[in-house]
Amino acid sequence: MEYILNTQEDKRERLLKVMTCIEQCAPLANLSMDYNMPTFRTEQGWISVANQKHYLPVYTCQAEHIAAYKMLYPKQKTGKGCINFSDKDAIDFAALTDVINNALSE
């Protein structure tokens, strides 16, 4: 996918790890380039991941999808329905799996 190839090499591995996590949670999800970023869709929902200059955001567009994650990591930068992982933030993939499942199974 061109999006991944155009990602800076030092950020590409992190982006691929998040995308792989999504694929493992929802192997039947359709991958497209909605909103100019990789977007995984099921009949029940969607989740997108992007590469920004200083962070990797994961978008779900629903506050309830990330609520449990926010409780676990209250200092993590988030938006209404997204988690913004700075380049220095560790990603708890077990907790991210819950976010993915929430977003794709609504």
Side-chain angles (χ1 to χ4, degrees):
M1 173 181 277
E2 190 174 331
Y3 187 90
I4 295 167
L5 294 175
N6 289 332
T7 300
Q8 293 175 335
E9 190 172 338
D10 61 327
K11 295 181 176 197
R12 190 177 306 146
E13 182 178 345
R14 188 170 164 104
L15 175 65
L16 285 170
K17 282 183 180 180
V18 171
M19 291 179 66
T20 299
C21 185
I22 296 168
E23 290 170 342
Q24 289 173 345
C25 290
L28 300 178
N30 294 315
L31 175 59
S32 61
M33 282 299 294
D34 296 347
Y35 315 105
N36 294 320
M37 63 188 130
T39 302
F40 296 82
R41 289 188 178 277
T42 64
E43 289 184 20
Q44 295 79 25
W46 62 269
I47 191 166
S48 295
V49 61
N51 175 46
Q52 300 295 330
K53 188 171 183 175
H54 297 289
Y55 62 97
L56 187 149
V58 175
Y59 298 98
T60 71
C61 209
Q62 296 288 332
E64 58 269 12
H65 295 160
I66 66 168
Y69 196 97
K70 286 175 72 168
M71 288 181 67
L72 282 173
Y73 300 99
K75 293 184 179 184
Q76 178 69 55
K77 184 177 178 189
T78 60
K80 179 180 178 184
C82 68
I83 303 169
N84 296 312
F85 296 105
S86 77
D87 293 342
K88 296 178 182 180
D89 289 340
I91 299 175
D92 179 345
F93 283 94
L96 185 60
T97 296
D98 291 337
V99 171
I100 295 164
N101 289 330
N102 288 338
L104 296 177
S105 66
E106 183 167 275

